[in-house]
Amino acid sequence: MTHSSILSDLPVLPLAESFALTEAYNLDTFPKKVNLGQGVYRDEECQPWILPSVRSAEEFLHRQHLNHEYLPIPGAAEFTKEARNLLFSPQLAQNENITSVQTVAGTGANHLAALFCARYLRPKHVFISDPTWDNHHLIWETAGPDIKRKLYPYYDPLTRSLNFDGMIAELENSAEENDVVILHACAHNPTGIDPTHTQWEKIADIVAKKRLFVVFDSAYQGFASGDLDADAWAIRYFYSRFFEGASLPISATPSGMIVCQSFSKNFGLYGERIGALHLVTPPSVSPRGAYTHLVRLIRAEISCPSLFGERCVHIILTDPELRSKWEEDVKTMASRIQRVRMSLKLELENIGAQGNWDHIERQIGMFSYTGLSKTQVRRLKDVHHVYMLENGRMSLSGLNGKNVAYVARAIKDVVDRD
């Protein structure tokens, strides 16, 4: 006798691609295999790197014999203050129209932002770059199922550069007042292509004209360029233009802005899941009510955030010696990624790989959007045991001096076959 259940009708869903790719890589026994799929930093030996500043913070905290009590629902106030200072600058962060809560890394911040917008902003559309980090779609699908997800052009495959005109045209023609637009603050994932300052100003023009609600995703501050201030430029520009000082006419300003901040990449605290969400309101609008609703959502979902990683970040940002050491650590990671970019490009050129590879060096951050097709990526994995996402996104941290020539030859093989 069999028992039927509604659960038996649920289809088996595939594992998220990046995690499935890592699982396949781990099972591969080929000695020269290369993992260019997972978005985590690796050192020159392709091993996980614990930042020296983080190691020092861990040792300091261990000596303190601290307890493991619950944090408040919105997180540790001293941590969110320093997170806000880092992102907006200490001067801007003092303004009372920025309110902050601790989150479960950048993913938790994005999910909280989507929940908040879906329940209280109620936009008709959310605009997401094409392409984007795949979790943006899943987050908005689950948190705001009634909100229509629309794509705005971002990548031009012919020039392997930003499709800026297409982006602006789509927002101009399709966006409606109160719609949400997700913007990557720096080191766009997956393309590694960021707008120029002039282009950011024009994006702000369309945000103001259409009265859109901006959600910035900031996962790579410092990691992208090695310069913490440069990587926060777009966020600070939007804040200073729309939300600082005297109120602008309603017709010339968005109703608010959210910044989702992650400490996974720039502190190497991937598994500790440390992040923050910053809600910005116009100067004339008190954020108190919105803050209490954020707290309510956190209480329902996680009750309160995690403790240890928050303590690590806080002590590093507030201790001058550790802060200086951390800033050097961030530069170390950014510099290594920039070096392997140049090495791969030069190697491809030296061996005569078909096509132009300048875009690899022009892009920024952990990823390169290679321009390889799904067929080419599949052959890289099946024949050469080089793993990357099907859309051609390569995580450059998996490259080093020992394997860059092998990867370049593998790429040459797949592109020369077409």
Side-chain angles (χ1 to χ4, degrees):
M1 181 176 180
T2 60
H3 296 278
S4 62
S5 167
I6 191 171
L7 298 181
S8 65
D9 295 329
L10 290 176
V12 176
L13 298 176
L15 190 63
E17 184 187 1
S18 60
F19 287 86
L21 201 66
T22 298
E23 190 174 276
Y25 170 84
N26 290 336
L27 294 173
D28 191 339
T29 59
F30 186 70
K32 289 187 176 182
K33 66 180 180 178
V34 183
N35 187 358
L36 304 178
Q38 197 171 20
V40 293
Y41 181 77
R42 293 291 183 257
D43 64 15
E44 188 60 24
E45 300 301 318
C46 286
Q47 296 300 311
W49 191 56
I50 300 176
L51 279 61
S53 57
V54 170
R55 178 65 81 200
S56 296
E58 290 174 335
E59 293 170 351
F60 172 82
L61 291 169
H62 178 70
R63 293 193 299 269
Q64 304 310 301
H65 300 289
L66 299 169
N67 63 45
H68 302 282
E69 295 296 293
Y70 289 123
L71 282 173
I73 297 171
E78 60 271 19
F79 161 76
T80 53
K81 174 186 175 183
E82 294 305 323
R84 191 164 59 247
N85 287 344
L86 182 68
L87 197 59
F88 290 92
S89 82
Q91 180 182 359
L92 295 179
Q94 302 308 310
N95 293 331
E96 294 182 355
N97 65 332
I98 307 175
T99 188
S100 306
V101 295
Q102 187 178 332
T103 63
V104 183
T107 298
N110 274 276
H111 190 256
L112 183 60
L115 280 175
F116 180 83
C117 290
R119 289 173 183 252
Y120 306 116
L121 190 66
R122 296 187 181 90
K124 186 175 180 181
H125 309 106
V126 55
F127 284 84
I128 302 173
S129 69
D130 181 19
T132 194
W133 176 50
D134 61 353
N135 218 13
H136 280 146
H137 288 285
L138 181 58
I139 285 169
W140 280 86
E141 176 189 326
T142 57
D146 296 329
I147 300 169
K148 185 175 182 180
R149 284 172 285 130
K150 301 196 75 171
L151 300 178
Y152 61 83
Y154 195 87
Y155 178 73
D156 184 340
L158 295 178
T159 62
R160 295 179 179 175
S161 62
L162 178 64
N163 184 358
F164 182 71
D165 291 341
M167 174 185 185
I168 295 299
E170 176 62 22
L171 294 176
E172 174 72 54
N173 295 331
S174 302
E176 300 179 21
E177 183 174 334
N178 211 45
D179 279 350
V180 172
V181 57
I182 298 175
L183 301 173
H184 298 229
C186 66
H188 181 273
N189 180 4
T191 68
I193 302 167
D194 291 342
T196 65
H197 287 188
T198 299
Q199 289 171 333
W200 275 120
E201 291 168 0
K202 292 179 179 178
I203 293 169
D205 289 342
I206 197 71
V207 164
K209 179 180 178 182
K210 307 291 285 192
R211 298 207 69 220
L212 306 180
F213 189 97
V214 173
V215 174
F216 269 111
D217 191 351
S218 178
Y220 299 96
Q221 186 184 0
F223 191 108
S225 68
D227 186 326
L228 293 162
D229 294 325
D231 293 345
W233 187 90
I235 292 168
R236 295 176 187 179
Y237 172 75
F238 271 66
Y239 179 82
S240 297
R241 174 166 172 174
F242 295 129
F243 302 107
E244 185 183 23
S247 298
L248 295 171
I250 291 178
S251 60
T253 182
S255 56
M257 179 173 83
I258 286 176
V259 183
C260 303
Q261 182 181 24
S262 171
F263 294 96
S264 295
K265 304 296 194 298
N266 54 6
F267 279 80
L269 291 169
Y270 302 100
E272 300 300 336
R273 314 310 293 141
I274 304 302
L277 178 148
H278 308 278
L279 173 66
V280 180
T281 55
S284 60
V285 176
S286 170
R288 181 61 186 167
Y291 172 77
T292 62
H293 285 274
L294 285 170
V295 170
R296 187 170 185 266
L297 291 172
I298 294 169
R299 171 61 173 158
E301 189 158 80
I302 61 169
S303 191
C304 63
S306 55
L307 181 62
F308 180 72
E310 168 271 313
R311 283 174 168 167
C312 285
V313 173
H314 176 252
I315 191 65
I316 288 171
L317 293 180
T318 54
D319 180 277
E321 183 178 344
L322 287 178
R323 171 67 180 253
S324 178
K325 185 184 290 189
W326 171 67
E327 291 182 3
E328 288 303 313
D329 293 342
V330 169
K331 290 177 183 176
T332 295
M333 292 190 290
S335 296
R336 195 183 95 73
I337 296 298
Q338 289 163 357
R339 286 196 304 273
V340 297
R341 278 187 184 281
M342 185 181 301
S343 296
L344 179 60
K345 180 215 169 193
L346 290 175
E347 192 69 33
L348 287 165
E349 291 175 342
N350 289 339
I351 63 176
Q354 181 179 308
N356 185 304
W357 301 99
D358 289 345
H359 60 284
I360 291 178
E361 195 171 0
R362 286 197 311 267
Q363 293 162 359
I364 190 171
M366 181 180 286
F367 304 118
S368 173
Y369 211 54
T370 60
L372 298 176
S373 68
K374 287 184 179 181
T375 301
Q376 291 168 335
V377 169
R378 209 169 289 126
R379 181 172 175 81
L380 276 177
K381 178 172 70 71
D382 295 342
V383 175
H384 300 284
H385 304 263
V386 175
Y387 292 74
M388 67 176 71
L389 296 191
E390 274 200 343
N391 62 11
R393 189 199 79 174
M394 173 194 299
S395 179
L396 291 152
S397 68
L399 291 175
N400 60 20
K402 298 176 183 178
N403 65 22
V404 68
Y406 175 77
V407 170
R409 290 196 300 272
I411 292 174
K412 182 179 188 301
D413 171 67
V414 301
V415 299
D416 286 357
R417 285 177 174 271
D418 290 350

